[in-house]
Amino acid sequence: ISGAFLMVKKAVVNKVGMMDEDFFLYGEEVEWCSRLVREGGCCIYGDCKIIHLEGQTITAETGSTENSYTNIFDKKGLQLILSNHLRIRKQ
């Protein structure tokens, strides 16, 4: 689930906790949703439409030359790899 569009009831957040602050960027919503699923508090609606301008902020902040996540050799790509390793270790 993309963190660009999440809605969670306060009671569920109180039960599973907030997103993990160990993540700087990327993967925190995936790890959080896995905790939501384990507690039975995840519901996905497929008929919603949202527009998410993927990577706009991080591309500008890191000075990346591309807006995708395919270049693993720039700062953005390396952060994605690091976050995914952290997520796997925590799960």
Side-chain angles (χ1 to χ4, degrees):
I1 303 229
S2 170
F5 188 74
L6 288 173
M7 292 186 295
V8 181
K9 291 181 179 180
K10 183 173 176 66
V12 176
V13 172
N14 290 339
K15 188 174 184 180
V16 301
M18 299 290 282
M19 286 188 190
D20 191 332
E21 291 185 11
D22 286 346
F23 291 89
F24 167 69
L25 188 63
Y26 305 125
E28 66 271 25
E29 68 269 45
V30 176
E31 188 274 332
W32 194 48
C33 286
S34 69
R35 286 189 275 143
L36 291 170
V37 168
R38 279 196 303 267
E39 293 296 326
C42 192
C43 180
I44 300 171
Y45 295 94
D47 59 348
C48 298
K49 303 264 189 280
I50 63 166
I51 296 173
H52 176 235
L53 302 176
E54 180 181 19
Q56 295 294 310
T57 302
I58 191 62
T59 298
E61 290 297 317
T62 60
S64 182
T65 57
E66 31 186 285
N67 199 33
S68 71
Y69 297 95
T70 57
N71 184 358
I72 62 169
F73 300 106
D74 68 1
K75 189 174 182 181
K76 182 171 61 171
L78 291 173
Q79 183 60 51
L80 182 60
I81 291 169
L82 179 66
S83 290
N84 279 316
H85 281 291
L86 179 61
R87 179 183 57 82
I88 290 166
R89 282 184 56 204
K90 287 181 176 285
Q91 289 181 333

